[in-house]
Amino acid sequence: MSTKSQFSLSYPKRGDSEHTRYNLLDLQRHKLSSQHILLFLPRDQKLKECAISIALAAGLITGVPAIADANINANINMAMPDVSVLISGPPIKDPGALLRYALPIDNKAVREVQKPLEDITDSLKIAGVKALDPVERNVRQASRTLKQGKSLIVEGLAESKKEHGMELLQKLEAGMDELQQIVEDRDRDAVAPKQKELLNYVGGVEEDMVDGFPYEVPEEYQSMPLLKGRATVDMKVKVKDNPNVDECVFRIVLDGYNAPVTAGNFVDLVERHFYDGMEIQRGLSGLPVALRQKILPKVASILTCVHDHNTWAPLIFAAADGFVVQTGDPEGPAEGFIDPSTEKTRTIPLEIMVEGEKSPFYGATLEELGLYKAQTKLPFNAFGTMAMARDEFEDNSGSSQVFWLLKESELTPSNANILDGRYAVFGYVTENEGLLADVKVGDVIQSIQVVSGLENLVNPSYKIAA
């Protein structure tokens, strides 16, 4: 790989460089200044560039405006929002909610049922049984809007899925009554499981409103493996050297409505058993579990110095206010999947779906397209957001390396960080996502299996290979 000496704000795929991270919050707590940080760097480091990196990263924490030369500052301003934007409103962080809102539907009636059910999560933040009073208001509002808008919801169901959608609506109505009884019985512990059940029904009804695949994939990508809909996979990981966790099973929902090429490529590789037996190649290795749990929710930025062939260059991983778990780099010199039929690395285009658009943008970041304020349909906002890694300077270089973002912070709300619009998100971990913080370099993916939605994969190359 070429030397990455240019100042950058992106996260490269594995193989691009080796990374040494400095947690700026820890440095600040120990009263270490940027001069102290520079002492950690080799003498041949470009001090001006590193000072810019430190100043920019520190500015996110202290609120002090960073000073940089004009060219670099111009690039930074394009990629990074004002701090006032970062704290302007509460982001949607629940992966289930993000997936529901990402569906290609426009039915106000069902959204008005969904919202108060989701608001129960905030109501439960109140301690003790006092939380049940706002929960009761949430339930009554959801029940009322369901009764008032049921006919409009039924009208929105796709004809081919109407029978299934009606069954889910009946279960939703019955579940509402059950949740109301739970609240009246003052059984606080039973609220969250029932809420999750009801939201699953809502999500199912909303999926039954999608009639077929809503758009045509560009001709140049139509022969690739495509996921025209959604699929669910279970990833089983063997965790080493951890007395508290031995094995984790992560349930991941892949969204082909908003990333058909990216999700299709991954499902095709899963069916080839490409990832089975592969190690985790980036993670929180070397940090004690207690320290990881302490810093993950709070760290605001990471200063990373990139080393490649004895040349150092600065990089700020500012928007991802935590770390990543990454895998997909096969053994040997190749950094992606080698297609046996061509004996070449199979690559896919960068794929970003934006709110208000009927189909994704391909082959360019939103920044490159000049869409600085565009809202991505699948934002980097949930702990366990899944995305495709790629070459730092080549948009269409994704192949098999994927990563999961370990972050959840008010400092990086939806669509207000430097990852949204730069990397292709194609799914979220929806069960056991918190255990991702326990996964480290060297842990082994025992298997990834598709548990539903395989029928939505078209042009599967694994069948041709078989």
Side-chain angles (χ1 to χ4, degrees):
M1 302 300 295
S2 60
T3 299
K4 303 296 187 291
S5 58
Q6 178 180 342
F7 186 84
S8 170
L9 283 174
S10 60
Y11 193 76
K13 68 182 182 181
R14 185 173 180 265
D16 284 355
S17 53
E18 297 176 359
H19 293 66
T20 302
R21 296 178 174 87
Y22 300 98
N23 184 317
L24 290 181
L25 289 184
D26 285 343
L27 292 170
Q28 186 185 50
R29 181 162 55 250
H30 293 294
K31 304 189 184 306
L32 293 179
S33 66
S34 57
Q35 288 87 348
H36 290 107
I37 301 173
L38 287 172
L39 293 177
F40 292 107
L41 302 177
R43 293 181 180 179
D44 62 349
Q45 168 66 18
K46 295 180 180 178
L47 298 183
K48 177 182 177 183
E49 289 184 352
C50 195
I52 292 169
S53 301
I54 296 161
L56 286 166
L60 288 177
I61 299 171
T62 64
V64 178
I67 300 175
D69 73 43
N71 291 332
I72 294 178
N73 203 37
N75 291 332
I76 299 307
N77 288 337
M78 288 192 298
M80 296 183 64
D82 294 335
V83 173
S84 60
V85 175
L86 294 177
I87 58 176
S88 60
I92 298 174
K93 299 183 291 185
D94 178 69
L98 289 168
L99 287 163
R100 286 188 288 272
Y101 284 113
L103 284 166
I105 64 171
D106 183 17
N107 189 289
K108 184 179 179 182
V110 75
R111 297 298 195 201
E112 289 179 345
V113 176
Q114 174 184 327
K115 183 63 168 61
L117 288 176
E118 291 173 344
D119 288 344
I120 290 174
T121 301
D122 289 332
S123 297
L124 288 174
K125 293 178 181 178
I126 300 173
V129 294
K130 290 183 179 179
L132 296 175
D133 294 332
V135 167
E136 185 171 17
R137 290 193 291 271
N138 298 143
V139 176
R140 290 186 184 279
Q141 182 182 351
S143 298
R144 183 172 59 252
T145 52
L146 178 57
K147 291 176 182 177
Q148 294 173 346
K150 184 176 179 180
S151 61
L152 293 175
I153 294 174
V154 172
E155 286 178 15
L157 294 171
E159 197 61 39
S160 61
K161 304 176 182 178
K162 183 162 287 189
E163 184 177 350
H164 182 256
M166 291 291 293
E167 290 177 4
L168 291 178
L169 280 173
Q170 291 175 358
K171 292 180 179 179
L172 180 60
E173 288 177 310
M176 293 276 204
D177 293 338
E178 292 168 3
L179 182 54
Q180 181 63 42
Q181 188 61 52
I182 287 172
V183 173
E184 291 176 3
D185 293 341
R186 313 303 280 177
D187 187 356
R188 190 186 195 282
D189 293 339
V191 171
K194 178 58 69 172
Q195 175 207 22
K196 184 175 181 179
E197 177 188 326
L198 297 184
L199 284 172
N200 284 337
Y201 293 148
V202 171
V205 170
E206 292 174 344
E207 288 201 53
D208 286 342
M209 292 179 172
V210 183
D211 190 7
F213 194 71
Y215 56 87
E216 285 292 325
V217 173
E219 185 176 355
E220 59 264 43
Y221 310 128
Q222 287 181 2
S223 62
M224 292 180 168
L226 304 174
L227 186 65
K228 292 192 170 184
R230 286 184 173 171
T232 301
V233 301
D234 280 348
M235 180 174 70
K236 183 185 294 186
V237 178
K238 177 70 173 178
V239 178
K240 301 177 180 178
D241 304 322
N242 187 332
N244 300 316
V245 181
D246 177 59
E247 204 173 71
C248 304
V249 179
F250 301 100
R251 176 146 292 189
I252 307 168
V253 175
L254 309 173
D255 189 353
Y257 289 123
N258 294 292
V261 176
T262 313
N265 175 74
F266 181 76
V267 173
D268 188 66
L269 293 176
V270 166
E271 287 302 295
R272 286 176 174 270
H273 303 284
F274 176 83
Y275 298 98
D276 294 0
M278 186 173 287
E279 290 189 348
I280 298 298
Q281 296 148 354
R282 272 181 176 158
L284 299 182
S285 60
L287 288 178
V289 173
L291 179 58
R292 294 203 304 266
Q293 292 174 341
K294 183 177 181 181
I295 68 173
L296 268 176
K298 298 182 179 298
V299 62
S301 63
I302 300 298
L303 175 65
T304 304
C305 285
V306 183
H307 179 257
D308 190 355
H309 302 297
N310 298 317
T311 300
W312 289 74
L315 177 148
I316 299 175
F317 192 37
D321 60 321
F323 304 90
V324 300
V325 169
Q326 185 166 328
T327 192
D329 185 3
E331 292 183 2
E335 294 178 4
F337 167 65
I338 302 297
D339 191 333
S341 65
T342 64
E343 297 184 349
K344 295 180 180 179
T345 302
R346 184 173 82 186
T347 58
I348 60 173
L350 179 63
E351 183 178 44
I352 308 290
M353 177 67 94
V354 169
E355 291 280 1
E357 296 291 334
K358 294 182 178 179
S359 61
F361 290 103
Y362 288 93
T365 67
L366 296 188
E367 180 184 6
E368 291 165 346
L369 294 170
L371 301 174
Y372 307 118
K373 296 183 179 181
Q375 304 290 299
T376 57
K377 291 282 282 187
L378 299 175
F380 278 96
N381 211 58
F383 195 102
T385 300
M386 184 177 187
M388 179 63 65
R390 61 175 176 83
D391 257 351
E392 190 174 349
F393 303 114
E394 176 51 57
D395 295 336
N396 297 335
S397 60
S399 179
S400 59
Q401 294 191 39
V402 297
F403 66 93
W404 294 268
L405 193 61
L406 308 187
K407 51 83 70 178
E408 185 178 14
S409 168
E410 301 299 330
L411 285 175
T412 54
S414 176
N415 302 293
N417 59 66
I418 60 172
L419 294 182
D420 286 321
R422 285 174 172 262
Y423 291 87
V425 174
F426 62 101
Y428 296 99
V429 180
T430 59
E431 292 183 18
N432 294 326
E433 61 268 27
L435 293 177
L436 280 169
D438 292 305
V439 175
K440 60 188 179 301
V441 174
D443 291 343
V444 178
I445 298 174
Q446 294 179 311
S447 66
I448 305 181
Q449 295 182 328
V450 179
V451 295
S452 67
L454 186 58
E455 68 277 5
N456 295 324
L457 181 67
V458 300
N459 308 325
S461 73
Y462 71 90
K463 288 187 176 182
I464 298 174

